[in-house]
Amino acid sequence: GPVLYLKGVQNLITLQMDSNGLDEIPEEALRGLSNLSELSLSSNLLNSFKDSVFDDLTSLRVLHLQKNLITTVRPEVFKTPMRNLSLLVMDKNPFDCTCESILWFVIWLNNTNVTRLPNLRDQYTCNTPLAYFNQSVMDFDTLSCKDMTPFQALYVLSSTVVPMLMVTALVVRFHGWRIQFYWNILINRTLGFSDASVEEGREFEYDAYIIHAEEDSRWV
């Protein structure tokens, strides 16, 4: 497992780990560094982060993540560290400009007033999909994501309801009589009915009965 060598340095203010070939940061690596104000992880191989890896960096003011392999900027990861930033350098990453990957980040970029973002228009570019290739992330159309919401809900609903209806129809078609049979037994037991028995003093005309059509009654 990873060696958490930053565990005992809670008063650390600046941490620079550029050009170290890092492709992952352990979830507990930055735990307890609430006084950290500057973090630099540029020129590494980072492409994804654990959801809570930056949660303790409540005093962060400067964040360098340029020249990595970051495609997705999710609020679960970056909402806490970006809350009080004065400088963010995250350019030259191969961003995936889709609703799932970049929507929150683009909205944050459009709304932030206190964070400096050098080269935002020129160096924050999309790598995928092809429709946005080599375009600025600021050109991403956030309205297209809002329009997809009803269709996504409709898709989920239809993909759930239609198979359920099909299964129900097949069960009723081939096992409807069985369902009705057990339903009648359940109702009778619930209402307190029971099979007739000798002890109840009931007498019957026959010891056995053959289900038959009316025209066969003489033969039966």
Side-chain angles (χ1 to χ4, degrees), residues 1-197:
V3 178
L4 305 176
Y5 59 87
L6 298 173
K7 192 172 183 180
V9 290
Q10 284 81 6
N11 294 323
L12 191 67
I13 295 175
T14 302
L15 177 61
Q16 296 180 346
M17 300 185 69
D18 305 335
S19 304
N20 279 285
L22 302 174
D23 61 359
E24 183 181 1
I25 300 178
E27 190 170 7
E28 301 292 326
L30 304 175
R31 192 70 70 223
L33 301 183
S34 57
N35 294 317
L36 193 69
S37 62
E38 181 177 348
L39 174 62
S40 184
L41 295 166
S42 61
S43 300
N44 282 293
L45 303 173
L46 299 169
N47 63 348
S48 62
F49 300 92
K50 301 292 194 305
D51 285 356
S52 60
V53 67
F54 297 132
D55 280 2
D56 285 5
L57 307 185
T58 54
S59 300
L60 198 65
R61 297 292 181 271
V62 178
L63 179 60
H64 291 266
L65 287 170
Q66 70 268 30
K67 296 182 181 179
N68 277 284
L69 300 174
I70 299 171
T71 58
T72 302
V73 185
R74 299 183 296 114
E76 294 84 358
V77 178
F78 290 100
K79 191 172 184 178
T80 297
M82 288 185 176
R83 186 172 297 160
N84 299 311
L85 285 182
S86 58
L87 173 64
L88 173 64
V89 184
M90 206 172 179
D91 56 301
K92 297 181 180 177
N93 279 290
F95 294 110
D96 174 41
C97 292
T98 59
C99 297
E100 295 79 11
S101 300
I102 211 77
L103 175 62
W104 176 84
F105 186 44
V106 173
I107 293 174
W108 182 87
L109 291 173
N110 285 321
N111 294 334
T112 185
N113 296 317
V114 295
T115 304
R116 226 164 24 97
L117 300 156
N119 303 315
L120 176 59
R121 276 286 172 187
D122 302 328
Q123 301 297 330
Y124 288 69
T125 56
C126 304
N127 186 58
T128 53
L130 190 59
Y132 283 103
F133 178 71
N134 215 27
Q135 296 186 39
S136 171
V137 295
M138 300 303 291
D139 294 332
F140 179 72
D141 184 14
T142 57
L143 293 178
S144 62
C145 300
K146 295 181 181 178
D147 294 338
M148 288 175 60
T149 304
F151 294 103
Q152 290 175 341
L154 183 61
Y155 170 75
V156 172
L157 182 63
S158 61
S159 62
T160 304
V161 172
V162 171
M164 288 179 62
L165 289 175
M166 292 177 62
V167 170
T168 302
L170 290 172
V171 170
V172 171
R173 171 66 179 82
F174 294 104
H175 295 281
W177 65 272
R178 193 185 302 273
I179 295 172
Q180 186 176 8
F181 175 72
Y182 286 111
W183 174 256
N184 288 333
I185 292 177
L186 178 63
I187 292 298
N188 288 335
R189 289 181 177 177
T190 303
L191 296 178
F193 298 148
S194 61
D195 294 336
S197 61

